[in-house]
Amino acid sequence: MPQVPVAQLKDFIGKELGHSDWLTIDQQRVDQFADCTGDHQFIHVDAEKAAQTPFGGTIAHGFLSLSLLPMLSGDLMVVPEGTRMGVNYGLDSLRFIQPVRVGSRVRLGLTLIDAHEKNPGQWLLKARAVMEIEGSEKPAYIAETLALCVL
C-alpha cells in the first residue's frame, strides 16, 4: 500500500486510485469457498443444475467476490505515512449488481471517498470499490469500504 504524508491524504479524496490486475474466477476457488462457508447451494457448485438457471452455469458466491477486496485493493489504497497496521472497519454500503459467472475475469477499481483522523494516531479511510467483470457493462458489486489505519 502506498503511504503518503497525512497532510496529503485530502489530495486523494475523490480521485480514482486505479485498478487491480484481472483475476479469473475458477470453479476450484468457488468450491473451496463453499467448503469454507458451508454454502453448497447448487448455483455455485453443480454445473449441470446451474446450467438450467437464468445464470446459465455456476456463479461465484457474492461474499466470495467481496472477500477478494483486500487482495485486489492492496496495491491501490493509499494510507497515512507511518501506518503500522490497517484493519477492516466494515462497510457503509454494499450492492451486488450482477453475478460473477465461473470462468469470468474480474478486477477492482478503487476511489478514496474520505479520510479523517478518528482518534489520535487512527485514520479512518472510506473508499468506493467497484468490482468489474470483463466484457460486462454492469459491475459485480459496488461497495463503500472502511479501513482503520493505526500509526
Side-chain angles (χ1 to χ4, degrees):
M1 287 187 197
Q3 293 197 13
V4 300
V6 168
Q8 291 180 14
L9 272 178
K10 299 286 185 198
D11 297 341
F12 289 90
I13 294 175
K15 304 248 167 96
E16 187 174 281
L17 301 176
H19 290 87
S20 70
D21 291 336
W22 290 101
L23 174 70
T24 301
I25 304 299
D26 60 20
Q27 189 63 54
Q28 180 182 0
R29 184 183 299 267
V30 173
D31 291 344
Q32 288 173 338
F33 190 83
D35 289 342
C36 287
T37 61
D39 181 356
H40 291 93
Q41 186 179 25
F42 76 92
I43 60 173
H44 304 303
V45 298
D46 188 329
E48 190 174 305
K49 277 184 161 177
Q52 305 307 312
T53 70
F55 304 126
T58 52
I59 60 171
H61 305 72
F63 284 117
L64 165 56
S65 300
L66 184 63
S67 75
L68 297 171
L69 200 150
M71 176 184 73
L72 295 176
S73 67
D75 292 336
L76 304 174
M77 188 63 173
V78 295
V79 298
E81 196 170 63
T83 294
R84 292 182 292 126
M85 70 172 191
V87 294
N88 177 354
Y89 203 72
L91 301 166
D92 268 355
S93 67
L94 169 64
R95 290 292 178 267
F96 293 113
I97 310 297
Q98 98 170 311
V100 176
R101 294 270 320 264
V102 168
S104 297
R105 290 186 350 140
V106 298
R107 71 177 182 175
L108 192 74
L110 205 62
T111 302
L112 187 64
I113 296 174
D114 188 33
H116 68 273
E117 193 169 25
K118 183 171 175 52
N119 293 306
Q122 295 182 352
W123 282 79
L124 187 61
L125 307 180
K126 184 178 190 176
R128 181 174 191 259
V130 179
M131 178 170 276
E132 300 173 4
I133 304 169
E134 189 175 43
S136 176
E137 289 184 26
K138 292 182 182 179
Y141 65 74
I142 301 171
E144 288 187 1
T145 67
L146 300 170
L148 186 65
C149 297
V150 179
L151 282 63

